[in-house]
Amino acid sequence: MLILVTGGAGFIGSHIVTAFIAAGHEVRVLDALLPAAHRTAPPVPEGVDWRHADVRDGEAVADALRGADAVCHQAAMVGLGKDLTDAPDYVSCNDLGTAVLLAGMAGSGVRRLVLASSMVVYGEGRYECSRHGTVRPGPRRVADLEAGHFEPPCPGCGEPLAAALVEEDAPADPRNVYAATKLAQEHLAAAWARAAGGRVAALRYHNVYGPGMPRDTPYAGVASLFRSALARGEAPRVFEDGGQRRDFVHVRDVADANLAALDGLDGLPEGGSRAYNVGSGELHTVGEMAAGLAAAYGGPAPVVTGEYRLGDVRHITASSQRLRAELGWKPQVAFADGMTEFAAAPLRAG
């Protein structure tokens, strides 16, 4: 099978390309090499059909789609960004880029799509109140965060909440611009599938980490920011109180999830779309991750700053049971092993 991987030179995309080649597929890569992720041109694996072009370029997309059997859409501007002035770039890269790609697929006859989505579409995770059951916290308030009150209270009674796992059928509640663009990508892809008779698997990645993450960029994930600090000889700076719960999943496991989703597309009906959470199933706080990474690196211990970003969420951990049960995927890299490897792995210039 010939697979077009958009963003295939990026952190996650490059690992997906490696997994697809190892599985015997032919791979074509289209990547704009945006400066936020690429300071220098990345190496191109042997046998890969390389296209240096932007997914917003309709002619380049149409050319890249010729002869393709499926598309794995990874190209995106990622991370929370710096402030709201990033919004036009996020919408252009993520949503316009996806629309141009889908229009090209509609015209080319390519009907299989694996889409890189994100757990950020949920906003805050799932919470349980002892009195009111499952509840959705309201927006975070600056006054609470300034006072160091980071845990969201029950909107009904104000009592503390217990965090729980989110499943794919939970309501979407994007709480920053990046999250809104990822949800829009899912909606665009579902609309394309219905109109064109296509099939879509949307993979909602959790906190992905591993070798090859870009360093020293505000657009990278928190694992990369901590690893970059350690490489500079600095202590990782942990926001809030470090108690934010996340699921850190290794990039090779994410690549394997893309391969499983590609293989599973034919099991969907024509016009169908299906979302899958992609997480390790091991839940850790951001503070625990920073401490584990610093210990493995042999660097200074993390510093808990109490700082915050209003667009962040407190807890978001999700169940990946659907992906395991329906597509037979299972993560292979344990948290401790992954952090030990990541501590010594090279980062790419960002």
Side-chain angles (χ1 to χ4, degrees), residues 102-129:
L102 294 172
M105 293 177 68
S108 70
V110 180
R111 296 294 182 261
R112 296 182 180 92
L113 174 64
V114 177
L115 173 68
S117 186
S118 172
M119 51 84 177
V120 297
V121 301
Y122 299 115
E124 286 285 355
R126 179 181 173 183
Y127 292 88
E128 300 288 341
C129 173

Side-chain angles (χ1 to χ4, degrees), residues 272-348:
S273 59
R274 189 77 162 152
Y276 296 96
N277 292 327
V278 183
S280 70
E282 295 187 59
L283 308 184
H284 296 274
T285 67
V286 172
E288 288 171 348
M289 188 273 285
L293 184 59
Y297 189 86
V303 174
V304 178
T305 67
E307 299 173 67
Y308 64 88
R309 296 187 300 183
L310 193 60
D312 280 338
V313 298
R314 179 61 178 175
H315 303 299
I316 177 63
T317 55
S319 168
S320 299
Q321 184 58 35
R322 176 184 289 182
L323 181 59
R324 295 172 184 241
E326 294 184 6
L327 301 183
W329 173 84
K330 184 178 180 181
Q332 302 297 319
V333 183
F335 177 80
D337 295 337
M339 285 296 155
T340 299
E341 178 199 27
F342 184 48
L347 301 181
R348 68 172 64 195

Side-chain angles (χ1 to χ4, degrees), residues 142-187:
V142 171
D144 291 338
L145 299 172
E146 289 286 349
H149 301 151
F150 302 118
E151 293 289 341
C154 174
C157 64
E159 291 298 309
L161 298 173
L165 299 181
V166 178
E167 296 183 347
E168 289 87 350
D169 294 332
D173 185 19
R175 298 202 170 195
N176 55 60
V177 170
Y178 170 63
T181 66
K182 297 308 288 184
L183 183 58
Q185 283 185 305
E186 289 196 25
H187 288 322

